[in-house]
Amino acid sequence: IEFFKRGQVFALDYSHIRVGDRVSRGFSWTDDEYKGIDGKPDDGGQGNKGTVTAVQYVLQVTGIIAKVKWHKNDHINLYSWGFKKIFDIR
């Protein structure tokens, strides 16, 4: 996995998320919004960790979308990191 900086946006305080970072649920997380087809939460439940596998800065609005693979169940999905001021992961 390669990570490329685009301009100075990744120097901002809120953008300090990198490929390989370990994350868990953030303050904006809701089980209703992030559950798989089996009805269980994407992350396998409160307190579980995942690894950031990719990050993408969204030019239309200030924010970053992070792709996370959860350790407990290997589920992969995209989550907000400051996108529209929402932090799904931390």
Side-chain angles (χ1 to χ4, degrees), residues 39-66:
K40 296 180 182 176
D42 282 2
D43 63 353
Q46 180 71 32
N48 290 315
K49 301 286 184 190
T51 300
V52 175
T53 60
V55 292
Q56 177 65 49
Y57 178 71
V58 182
L59 295 175
Q60 292 82 2
V61 293
T62 302
I64 294 173
I65 299 295

PDB file of all heavy atoms in Angstrom, residues 39-66:
ATOM      1  N   GLY A  39     -26.584  -7.933   9.969  1.00  0.00           N
ATOM      2  CA  GLY A  39     -27.169  -7.134  11.037  1.00  0.00           C
ATOM      3  C   GLY A  39     -26.220  -6.814  12.168  1.00  0.00           C
ATOM      4  O   GLY A  39     -26.580  -6.112  13.111  1.00  0.00           O
ATOM      5  N   LYS A  40     -24.992  -7.301  12.110  1.00  0.00           N
ATOM      6  CA  LYS A  40     -23.995  -7.047  13.155  1.00  0.00           C
ATOM      7  C   LYS A  40     -23.162  -5.822  12.787  1.00  0.00           C
ATOM      8  O   LYS A  40     -22.978  -5.521  11.616  1.00  0.00           O
ATOM      9  CB  LYS A  40     -23.093  -8.264  13.323  1.00  0.00           C
ATOM     10  CG  LYS A  40     -23.831  -9.487  13.813  1.00  0.00           C
ATOM     11  CD  LYS A  40     -22.906 -10.656  13.966  1.00  0.00           C
ATOM     12  CE  LYS A  40     -23.690 -11.882  14.425  1.00  0.00           C
ATOM     13  NZ  LYS A  40     -22.841 -13.067  14.505  1.00  0.00           N
ATOM     14  N   PRO A  41     -22.625  -5.111  13.791  1.00  0.00           N
ATOM     15  CA  PRO A  41     -21.804  -3.929  13.509  1.00  0.00           C
ATOM     16  C   PRO A  41     -20.582  -4.277  12.655  1.00  0.00           C
ATOM     17  O   PRO A  41     -20.000  -5.360  12.802  1.00  0.00           O
ATOM     18  CB  PRO A  41     -21.357  -3.458  14.892  1.00  0.00           C
ATOM     19  CG  PRO A  41     -22.275  -4.098  15.862  1.00  0.00           C
ATOM     20  CD  PRO A  41     -22.759  -5.363  15.223  1.00  0.00           C
ATOM     21  N   ASP A  42     -20.201  -3.351  11.767  1.00  0.00           N
ATOM     22  CA  ASP A  42     -19.030  -3.541  10.900  1.00  0.00           C
ATOM     23  C   ASP A  42     -17.790  -3.961  11.677  1.00  0.00           C
ATOM     24  O   ASP A  42     -17.033  -4.829  11.237  1.00  0.00           O
ATOM     25  CB  ASP A  42     -18.680  -2.230  10.172  1.00  0.00           C
ATOM     26  CG  ASP A  42     -19.579  -1.946   8.993  1.00  0.00           C
ATOM     27  OD1 ASP A  42     -20.512  -2.724   8.722  1.00  0.00           O
ATOM     28  OD2 ASP A  42     -19.337  -0.912   8.333  1.00  0.00           O
ATOM     29  N   ASP A  43     -17.575  -3.323  12.825  1.00  0.00           N
ATOM     30  CA  ASP A  43     -16.335  -3.539  13.581  1.00  0.00           C
ATOM     31  C   ASP A  43     -16.375  -4.766  14.485  1.00  0.00           C
ATOM     32  O   ASP A  43     -15.407  -5.076  15.151  1.00  0.00           O
ATOM     33  CB  ASP A  43     -15.987  -2.305  14.406  1.00  0.00           C
ATOM     34  CG  ASP A  43     -17.030  -1.964  15.461  1.00  0.00           C
ATOM     35  OD1 ASP A  43     -18.100  -2.599  15.496  1.00  0.00           O
ATOM     36  OD2 ASP A  43     -16.768  -1.036  16.252  1.00  0.00           O
ATOM     37  N   GLY A  44     -17.497  -5.465  14.520  1.00  0.00           N
ATOM     38  CA  GLY A  44     -17.620  -6.648  15.366  1.00  0.00           C
ATOM     39  C   GLY A  44     -18.036  -6.322  16.786  1.00  0.00           C
ATOM     40  O   GLY A  44     -18.160  -7.193  17.617  1.00  0.00           O
ATOM     41  N   GLY A  45     -18.255  -5.047  17.095  1.00  0.00           N
ATOM     42  CA  GLY A  45     -18.701  -4.641  18.427  1.00  0.00           C
ATOM     43  C   GLY A  45     -17.789  -3.618  19.066  1.00  0.00           C
ATOM     44  O   GLY A  45     -16.645  -3.419  18.653  1.00  0.00           O
ATOM     45  N   GLN A  46     -18.319  -2.961  20.081  1.00  0.00           N
ATOM     46  CA  GLN A  46     -17.605  -1.914  20.814  1.00  0.00           C
ATOM     47  C   GLN A  46     -16.251  -2.407  21.300  1.00  0.00           C
ATOM     48  O   GLN A  46     -16.135  -3.516  21.825  1.00  0.00           O
ATOM     49  CB  GLN A  46     -18.451  -1.464  22.004  1.00  0.00           C
ATOM     50  CG  GLN A  46     -17.840  -0.384  22.847  1.00  0.00           C
ATOM     51  CD  GLN A  46     -17.822   0.964  22.144  1.00  0.00           C
ATOM     52  OE1 GLN A  46     -18.694   1.280  21.358  1.00  0.00           O
ATOM     53  NE2 GLN A  46     -16.816   1.750  22.430  1.00  0.00           N
ATOM     54  N   GLY A  47     -15.212  -1.586  21.123  1.00  0.00           N
ATOM     55  CA  GLY A  47     -13.882  -1.891  21.643  1.00  0.00           C
ATOM     56  C   GLY A  47     -12.966  -2.621  20.686  1.00  0.00           C
ATOM     57  O   GLY A  47     -11.783  -2.776  20.966  1.00  0.00           O
ATOM     58  N   ASN A  48     -13.469  -3.065  19.550  1.00  0.00           N
ATOM     59  CA  ASN A  48     -12.622  -3.778  18.586  1.00  0.00           C
ATOM     60  C   ASN A  48     -11.799  -2.791  17.764  1.00  0.00           C
ATOM     61  O   ASN A  48     -12.180  -1.644  17.590  1.00  0.00           O
ATOM     62  CB  ASN A  48     -13.469  -4.659  17.673  1.00  0.00           C
ATOM     63  CG  ASN A  48     -14.043  -5.837  18.423  1.00  0.00           C
ATOM     64  OD1 ASN A  48     -13.337  -6.490  19.186  1.00  0.00           O
ATOM     65  ND2 ASN A  48     -15.314  -6.096  18.226  1.00  0.00           N
ATOM     66  N   LYS A  49     -10.668  -3.260  17.276  1.00  0.00           N
ATOM     67  CA  LYS A  49      -9.734  -2.428  16.515  1.00  0.00           C
ATOM     68  C   LYS A  49      -9.730  -2.813  15.043  1.00  0.00           C
ATOM     69  O   LYS A  49     -10.046  -3.939  14.673  1.00  0.00           O
ATOM     70  CB  LYS A  49      -8.312  -2.579  17.064  1.00  0.00           C
ATOM     71  CG  LYS A  49      -8.154  -2.213  18.514  1.00  0.00           C
ATOM     72  CD  LYS A  49      -8.197  -0.731  18.701  1.00  0.00           C
ATOM     73  CE  LYS A  49      -7.928  -0.390  20.166  1.00  0.00           C
ATOM     74  NZ  LYS A  49      -8.183   0.996  20.454  1.00  0.00           N
ATOM     75  N   GLY A  50      -9.336  -1.825  14.227  1.00  0.00           N
ATOM     76  CA  GLY A  50      -9.155  -2.042  12.803  1.00  0.00           C
ATOM     77  C   GLY A  50      -7.903  -1.333  12.344  1.00  0.00           C
ATOM     78  O   GLY A  50      -7.301  -0.554  13.088  1.00  0.00           O
ATOM     79  N   THR A  51      -7.497  -1.593  11.105  1.00  0.00           N
ATOM     80  CA  THR A  51      -6.315  -0.969  10.528  1.00  0.00           C
ATOM     81  C   THR A  51      -6.716  -0.170   9.292  1.00  0.00           C
ATOM     82  O   THR A  51      -7.448  -0.674   8.438  1.00  0.00           O
ATOM     83  CB  THR A  51      -5.272  -2.032  10.132  1.00  0.00           C
ATOM     84  OG1 THR A  51      -4.893  -2.767  11.306  1.00  0.00           O
ATOM     85  CG2 THR A  51      -4.033  -1.406   9.523  1.00  0.00           C
ATOM     86  N   VAL A  52      -6.221   1.062   9.201  1.00  0.00           N
ATOM     87  CA  VAL A  52      -6.475   1.903   8.033  1.00  0.00           C
ATOM     88  C   VAL A  52      -5.660   1.349   6.866  1.00  0.00           C
ATOM     89  O   VAL A  52      -4.442   1.200   6.967  1.00  0.00           O
ATOM     90  CB  VAL A  52      -6.094   3.372   8.311  1.00  0.00           C
ATOM     91  CG1 VAL A  52      -6.255   4.221   7.057  1.00  0.00           C
ATOM     92  CG2 VAL A  52      -6.922   3.933   9.457  1.00  0.00           C
ATOM     93  N   THR A  53      -6.344   1.038   5.757  1.00  0.00           N
ATOM     94  CA  THR A  53      -5.660   0.488   4.586  1.00  0.00           C
ATOM     95  C   THR A  53      -5.519   1.498   3.457  1.00  0.00           C
ATOM     96  O   THR A  53      -4.723   1.305   2.554  1.00  0.00           O
ATOM     97  CB  THR A  53      -6.399  -0.758   4.060  1.00  0.00           C
ATOM     98  OG1 THR A  53      -7.729  -0.408   3.697  1.00  0.00           O
ATOM     99  CG2 THR A  53      -6.421  -1.856   5.118  1.00  0.00           C
ATOM    100  N   ALA A  54      -6.292   2.594   3.501  1.00  0.00           N
ATOM    101  CA  ALA A  54      -6.187   3.647   2.487  1.00  0.00           C
ATOM    102  C   ALA A  54      -6.838   4.910   3.025  1.00  0.00           C
ATOM    103  O   ALA A  54      -7.732   4.840   3.863  1.00  0.00           O
ATOM    104  CB  ALA A  54      -6.875   3.214   1.195  1.00  0.00           C
ATOM    105  N   VAL A  55      -6.388   6.060   2.548  1.00  0.00           N
ATOM    106  CA  VAL A  55      -7.015   7.340   2.882  1.00  0.00           C
ATOM    107  C   VAL A  55      -7.207   8.144   1.602  1.00  0.00           C
ATOM    108  O   VAL A  55      -6.403   8.049   0.673  1.00  0.00           O
ATOM    109  CB  VAL A  55      -6.205   8.172   3.905  1.00  0.00           C
ATOM    110  CG1 VAL A  55      -6.189   7.514   5.262  1.00  0.00           C
ATOM    111  CG2 VAL A  55      -4.808   8.433   3.427  1.00  0.00           C
ATOM    112  N   GLN A  56      -8.294   8.893   1.547  1.00  0.00           N
ATOM    113  CA  GLN A  56      -8.598   9.714   0.381  1.00  0.00           C
ATOM    114  C   GLN A  56      -9.124  11.058   0.827  1.00  0.00           C
ATOM    115  O   GLN A  56     -10.105  11.131   1.562  1.00  0.00           O
ATOM    116  CB  GLN A  56      -9.649   9.023  -0.491  1.00  0.00           C
ATOM    117  CG  GLN A  56     -10.083   9.834  -1.691  1.00  0.00           C
ATOM    118  CD  GLN A  56      -8.962  10.050  -2.695  1.00  0.00           C
ATOM    119  OE1 GLN A  56      -8.297   9.115  -3.077  1.00  0.00           O
ATOM    120  NE2 GLN A  56      -8.755  11.288  -3.100  1.00  0.00           N
ATOM    121  N   TYR A  57      -8.466  12.126   0.400  1.00  0.00           N
ATOM    122  CA  TYR A  57      -8.943  13.466   0.669  1.00  0.00           C
ATOM    123  C   TYR A  57     -10.053  13.790  -0.322  1.00  0.00           C
ATOM    124  O   TYR A  57      -9.919  13.527  -1.513  1.00  0.00           O
ATOM    125  CB  TYR A  57      -7.805  14.483   0.548  1.00  0.00           C
ATOM    126  CG  TYR A  57      -8.257  15.893   0.765  1.00  0.00           C
ATOM    127  CD1 TYR A  57      -8.633  16.323   2.031  1.00  0.00           C
ATOM    128  CD2 TYR A  57      -8.337  16.799  -0.277  1.00  0.00           C
ATOM    129  CE1 TYR A  57      -9.063  17.620   2.252  1.00  0.00           C
ATOM    130  CE2 TYR A  57      -8.762  18.098  -0.070  1.00  0.00           C
ATOM    131  CZ  TYR A  57      -9.127  18.495   1.194  1.00  0.00           C
ATOM    132  OH  TYR A  57      -9.552  19.770   1.404  1.00  0.00           O
ATOM    133  N   VAL A  58     -11.153  14.348   0.169  1.00  0.00           N
ATOM    134  CA  VAL A  58     -12.290  14.693  -0.674  1.00  0.00           C
ATOM    135  C   VAL A  58     -12.219  16.181  -0.999  1.00  0.00           C
ATOM    136  O   VAL A  58     -12.320  17.025  -0.110  1.00  0.00           O
ATOM    137  CB  VAL A  58     -13.619  14.343   0.033  1.00  0.00           C
ATOM    138  CG1 VAL A  58     -14.795  14.663  -0.868  1.00  0.00           C
ATOM    139  CG2 VAL A  58     -13.631  12.876   0.429  1.00  0.00           C
ATOM    140  N   LEU A  59     -12.031  16.497  -2.257  1.00  0.00           N
ATOM    141  CA  LEU A  59     -11.817  17.882  -2.669  1.00  0.00           C
ATOM    142  C   LEU A  59     -13.062  18.751  -2.548  1.00  0.00           C
ATOM    143  O   LEU A  59     -12.968  19.939  -2.272  1.00  0.00           O
ATOM    144  CB  LEU A  59     -11.316  17.927  -4.114  1.00  0.00           C
ATOM    145  CG  LEU A  59      -9.951  17.301  -4.351  1.00  0.00           C
ATOM    146  CD1 LEU A  59      -9.634  17.295  -5.845  1.00  0.00           C
ATOM    147  CD2 LEU A  59      -8.874  18.032  -3.583  1.00  0.00           C
ATOM    148  N   GLN A  60     -14.246  18.198  -2.767  1.00  0.00           N
ATOM    149  CA  GLN A  60     -15.471  18.993  -2.753  1.00  0.00           C
ATOM    150  C   GLN A  60     -15.770  19.582  -1.378  1.00  0.00           C
ATOM    151  O   GLN A  60     -16.349  20.652  -1.267  1.00  0.00           O
ATOM    152  CB  GLN A  60     -16.673  18.160  -3.211  1.00  0.00           C
ATOM    153  CG  GLN A  60     -16.629  17.761  -4.668  1.00  0.00           C
ATOM    154  CD  GLN A  60     -15.760  16.534  -4.928  1.00  0.00           C
ATOM    155  OE1 GLN A  60     -15.211  15.943  -4.014  1.00  0.00           O
ATOM    156  NE2 GLN A  60     -15.625  16.169  -6.187  1.00  0.00           N
ATOM    157  N   VAL A  61     -15.436  18.872  -0.344  1.00  0.00           N
ATOM    158  CA  VAL A  61     -15.605  19.347   1.032  1.00  0.00           C
ATOM    159  C   VAL A  61     -14.349  18.976   1.801  1.00  0.00           C
ATOM    160  O   VAL A  61     -13.646  18.067   1.431  1.00  0.00           O
ATOM    161  CB  VAL A  61     -16.851  18.729   1.726  1.00  0.00           C
ATOM    162  CG1 VAL A  61     -18.114  19.205   1.081  1.00  0.00           C
ATOM    163  CG2 VAL A  61     -16.781  17.227   1.728  1.00  0.00           C
ATOM    164  N   THR A  62     -14.095  19.712   2.852  1.00  0.00           N
ATOM    165  CA  THR A  62     -12.897  19.424   3.622  1.00  0.00           C
ATOM    166  C   THR A  62     -13.122  18.160   4.434  1.00  0.00           C
ATOM    167  O   THR A  62     -13.995  18.102   5.289  1.00  0.00           O
ATOM    168  CB  THR A  62     -12.565  20.589   4.569  1.00  0.00           C
ATOM    169  OG1 THR A  62     -12.406  21.754   3.778  1.00  0.00           O
ATOM    170  CG2 THR A  62     -11.292  20.328   5.330  1.00  0.00           C
ATOM    171  N   GLY A  63     -12.347  17.148   4.151  1.00  0.00           N
ATOM    172  CA  GLY A  63     -12.465  15.916   4.911  1.00  0.00           C
ATOM    173  C   GLY A  63     -11.728  14.766   4.263  1.00  0.00           C
ATOM    174  O   GLY A  63     -11.303  14.841   3.110  1.00  0.00           O
ATOM    175  N   ILE A  64     -11.597  13.711   5.013  1.00  0.00           N
ATOM    176  CA  ILE A  64     -10.872  12.528   4.564  1.00  0.00           C
ATOM    177  C   ILE A  64     -11.758  11.308   4.780  1.00  0.00           C
ATOM    178  O   ILE A  64     -12.428  11.179   5.802  1.00  0.00           O
ATOM    179  CB  ILE A  64      -9.551  12.377   5.345  1.00  0.00           C
ATOM    180  CG1 ILE A  64      -8.620  13.536   4.991  1.00  0.00           C
ATOM    181  CG2 ILE A  64      -8.886  11.044   5.071  1.00  0.00           C
ATOM    182  CD1 ILE A  64      -7.359  13.599   5.811  1.00  0.00           C
ATOM    183  N   ILE A  65     -11.741  10.419   3.801  1.00  0.00           N
ATOM    184  CA  ILE A  65     -12.411   9.129   3.916  1.00  0.00           C
ATOM    185  C   ILE A  65     -11.319   8.084   4.117  1.00  0.00           C
ATOM    186  O   ILE A  65     -10.340   8.054   3.368  1.00  0.00           O
ATOM    187  CB  ILE A  65     -13.218   8.807   2.639  1.00  0.00           C
ATOM    188  CG1 ILE A  65     -14.302   9.851   2.401  1.00  0.00           C
ATOM    189  CG2 ILE A  65     -13.794   7.405   2.701  1.00  0.00           C
ATOM    190  CD1 ILE A  65     -15.376   9.891   3.459  1.00  0.00           C
ATOM    191  N   ALA A  66     -11.475   7.239   5.127  1.00  0.00           N
ATOM    192  CA  ALA A  66     -10.491   6.200   5.418  1.00  0.00           C
ATOM    193  C   ALA A  66     -11.103   4.828   5.196  1.00  0.00           C
ATOM    194  O   ALA A  66     -12.231   4.563   5.612  1.00  0.00           O
ATOM    195  CB  ALA A  66     -10.010   6.318   6.860  1.00  0.00           C
TER     196      ALA A  66
END
